[in-house]
Amino acid sequence: MLYHSTRGLDGSKNFSEVLHSGLAGDGGLFVPKFIPKLNMETINEWRHLSYEELSFEIISLFSGDCFSKSELIEIVNNSYSGFQSELKSPLIKLENNHYFLELFHGPTLAFKDFAMQVIAKMFAKTLQKKNSIINIVTATSGDTGSAAVEAFKNVSNVNLYVLYPHERISRIQRVQMTTSNAKNVKVFAVKGTFDDCQSIVKRLFSDKGLVNDVNLSGVNSINWVRILVQSIYYFSAFYQIKDHSDRRVSFSVPTGNFGDAYAGYLAKKMGLPINKIIVATNKNDILDRVFKTGIYKSDSVSKTLSPSMDIQVASNFERLLFDLLNNDANEVGKLMNKLASKGSFEVDKILKSQISKDFSSGAVTDKDTVATINQFFNARGITLCPHSAIGVRVAQHLVKGEETVISLGTAHPAKFKETVETALDMTIPVPLVLKDLIKKQESVKVICPDTDLVAEEIRSSYLRTN
Ligand SMILES: *Cc1c(COP(=O)(O)O)cnc(C)c1O
């Protein structure tokens, strides 16, 4: 399988190149030349596979000859060994036809562990073969960073730089990143928003000299392999519904950068019988607005109770545009240029109606987030994290009658302890792993949103280690 950029210039890359590069050289995102379509027979055959076997089958469709069969089996087997659930992504019932997919049983208690663990094992394998060093830089709204630190700490041939928005993430998220004590990890608290962090990362990648000099790489959800690996749990969720045989299911996805939602769209394109991907946002509702009005316009970022979704530039939306514009990189480039110069663009009527075939959307206020957390705790004894509550809320509003919907549980409530405890007016149990972290020494550098400074840090520590 070969890959090219959504903006057309960076053609014919293989899986390993796409794994190692964050962004394409022309500023676009990598996408495969085509998306393999599975028939229902194959999809049903996979029903009885373990999570690891399912991962192997799905990744193999895209990874070409990057790994041998035994290497890929080793990678997937090692990736999920730290998960606290046999099923990896267990499905529970919330109400009638409404299910909840628990994606927070990995080592850092958020769905980001799924892809990050796999990517780290893939990096280790490919770099060992090439005997080269790579510098990974990632912007995080909290959970990507902690999953990346956990997955990459002490991996040889990798240095990891994490940028998070200063004082805009939860305490647990922070200590998960700052207490690794690993020599190959450096954490920056950027005085700004997630979008400031993400734009530093994008600028670093547009510096061709730096990218080549230090082998710069990215593991944000702009990395194709993350999207691919996240599509696996949509299959797993589908298989866990017992009485769905003749029905399609919808998924409600709490969304920030549109990575997880796009992973669902990928599963649908591969043939999984998905009805709608429901995109659920907080007050930072750029995606809800574009789905309703056709106008993609980023606003300033508001701080909410669901900080991992405090994002106003939904990078992966570009992949959807590319797909719906029939892989017309020129058109995508035009829209993205408009976004850069005018701060917005509008999709035409045809495109908008195409989008609404696959997606619906809703935005949820902090007040309703709190109400939803209370509702499920009181009715069912289920504690939702604020992000998961947003997905659940939008699903309740949009899904009518007999339709089956699965809401994604994106993080463990204890990761957002303060918010959940305030909402419920009681203390909640905290898993042991988190309790231990809070006692550890933190290491973090607070900086202004300054791309040059980060570039210099990466260069100088690369020179020291090389
Ligand atoms: C990252 C994250 C999201 C948003 O996911 P995207 O792929 O960026 O849309 C939602 N909830 C939690 C808990 C997250 O960590």
Side-chain angles (χ1 to χ4, degrees):
M1 174 74 77
L2 290 174
Y3 295 79
H4 55 182
S5 163
T6 48
R7 304 205 190 157
L9 291 182
D10 220 346
S12 299
K13 295 275 194 273
N14 64 26
F15 186 80
S16 158
E17 291 169 297
V18 167
L19 168 70
H20 291 157
S21 34
L23 209 58
D26 58 4
L29 280 68
F30 282 116
V31 282
K33 284 259 153 84
F34 66 96
I35 293 172
K37 176 100 185 183
L38 303 162
N39 55 35
M40 265 327 278
E41 204 184 329
T42 306
I43 290 176
N44 280 324
E45 270 169 23
W46 288 356
R47 168 177 302 276
H48 303 291
L49 300 182
S50 69
Y51 199 91
E52 287 82 354
E53 290 165 337
L54 182 63
S55 301
F56 172 84
E57 294 296 344
I58 293 175
I59 295 170
S60 307
L61 297 171
F62 292 88
S63 58
D65 56 6
C66 184
F67 303 107
S68 68
K69 188 171 176 193
S70 63
E71 284 172 341
L72 190 54
I73 289 173
E74 183 193 329
I75 287 169
V76 295
N77 284 344
N78 291 339
S79 295
Y80 307 111
S81 56
F83 281 59
Q84 299 295 324
S85 157
E86 184 58 34
L87 291 168
K88 318 308 179 223
S89 60
L91 190 79
I92 64 166
K93 195 168 190 156
L94 282 183
E95 49 191 355
N96 301 331
N97 301 317
H98 190 178
Y99 297 84
F100 186 63
L101 187 67
E102 295 184 351
L103 298 173
F104 44 74
H105 297 288
T108 69
L109 310 179
F111 80 85
K112 307 290 201 301
D113 286 323
F114 278 85
M116 209 61 83
Q117 287 291 327
V118 173
I119 286 190
K121 307 293 182 278
M122 287 180 169
F123 267 76
K125 186 63 80 196
T126 48
L127 293 174
Q128 181 193 338
K129 285 195 219 169
K130 289 206 303 192
N131 192 25
S132 61
I133 293 184
I134 231 167
N135 283 284
I136 297 174
V137 56
T138 189
T140 181
S141 53
D143 294 326
T144 291
S146 41
V149 170
E150 177 65 29
F152 285 100
K153 67 182 182 197
N154 305 320
V155 171
S156 39
N157 299 336
V158 174
N159 295 318
L160 174 68
Y161 301 85
V162 178
L163 288 80
Y164 73 79
H166 187 45
E167 290 176 350
R168 283 174 179 260
I169 63 174
S170 82
R171 176 173 175 217
I172 301 264
Q173 287 179 312
R174 191 187 73 227
V175 297
Q176 281 184 318
M177 291 188 265
T178 57
T179 60
S180 79
N181 199 21
K183 285 209 175 60
N184 68 332
V185 172
K186 189 145 205 172
V187 180
F188 298 100
V190 177
K191 289 185 188 159
T193 64
F194 169 77
D195 289 347
D196 294 319
C197 298
Q198 182 160 255
S199 92
I200 291 177
V201 170
K202 286 188 176 170
R203 269 188 238 126
L204 291 172
F205 278 106
S206 68
D207 179 347
K208 296 280 166 7
L210 180 77
V211 171
N212 290 326
D213 290 351
V214 306
N215 269 334
L216 197 66
S217 174
V219 293
N220 272 102
S221 63
I222 47 185
N223 188 312
W224 166 259
V225 183
R226 274 191 57 184
I227 304 288
L228 168 60
V229 174
Q230 286 169 209
S231 73
I232 298 164
Y233 47 68
Y234 286 85
F235 284 79
S236 160
F238 176 76
Y239 294 142
Q240 288 179 66
I241 294 190
K242 301 283 182 283
D243 54 352
H244 68 296
S245 44
D246 52 349
R247 274 193 248 137
R248 295 195 297 170
V249 300
S250 291
F251 284 88
S252 182
V253 188
T255 305
N257 223 351
F258 198 56
D260 215 5
Y262 187 78
Y265 177 75
L266 174 63
K268 180 171 182 176
K269 292 280 287 188
M270 287 162 73
L272 195 68
I274 294 176
N275 182 19
K276 290 268 164 69
I277 304 288
I278 299 168
V279 169
T281 74
N282 61 24
K283 191 172 180 222
N284 300 292
D285 60 350
I286 181 164
L287 284 167
D288 184 41
R289 282 185 283 117
V290 70
F291 291 154
K292 291 198 167 112
T293 66
I295 299 170
Y296 186 95
K297 181 173 189 298
S298 84
D299 223 322
S300 60
V301 178
S302 304
K303 214 167 164 168
T304 71
L305 295 179
S306 43
S308 302
M309 291 155 53
D310 290 349
I311 294 175
Q312 281 282 4
V313 182
S315 300
N316 277 291
F317 189 61
E318 183 169 339
R319 287 194 162 108
L320 179 67
L321 286 176
F322 182 77
D323 194 60
L324 295 177
L325 289 164
N326 298 317
N327 298 8
D328 186 341
N330 252 337
E331 265 318 297
V332 174
K334 272 190 212 157
L335 293 178
M336 290 302 144
N337 285 340
K338 223 182 231 171
L339 181 65
S341 63
K342 299 212 166 63
S344 71
F345 62 79
E346 183 166 7
V347 299
D348 64 32
K349 277 215 177 67
I350 301 168
L351 196 61
K352 184 165 169 283
S353 77
Q354 264 180 301
I355 293 176
S356 48
K357 273 194 214 136
D358 294 315
F359 294 91
S360 54
S361 70
V364 177
T365 60
D366 276 350
K367 186 162 163 267
D368 286 343
T369 305
V370 167
T372 308
I373 293 173
N374 272 291
Q375 185 200 337
F376 281 91
F377 186 78
N378 295 332
R380 300 290 318 275
I382 294 168
T383 314
L384 301 172
C385 96
H387 311 78
S388 308
I390 287 174
V392 166
R393 177 77 173 195
V394 177
Q396 281 182 319
H397 275 240
L398 292 186
V399 176
K400 300 277 175 317
E402 288 292 288
E403 197 187 335
T404 300
V405 62
I406 298 173
S407 291
L408 301 199
T410 50
H412 191 288
K415 271 198 110 161
F416 304 92
K417 185 176 175 340
E418 293 85 354
T419 301
V420 175
E421 290 187 339
T422 308
L424 295 176
D425 195 20
M426 57 176 270
T427 56
I428 60 166
V430 173
L432 261 182
V433 278
L434 296 185
K435 277 191 189 147
D436 289 343
L437 282 184
I438 293 172
K439 297 181 206 136
K440 288 190 177 169
Q441 179 73 30
E442 292 188 58
S443 163
V444 56
K445 186 165 179 171
V446 181
I447 61 167
C448 290
D450 178 347
T451 308
D452 293 343
L453 193 146
V454 180
E456 207 32 59
E457 284 274 350
I458 297 175
R459 263 186 203 284
S460 61
S461 64
Y462 185 66
L463 290 176
R464 274 200 306 279
T465 53
N466 232 13

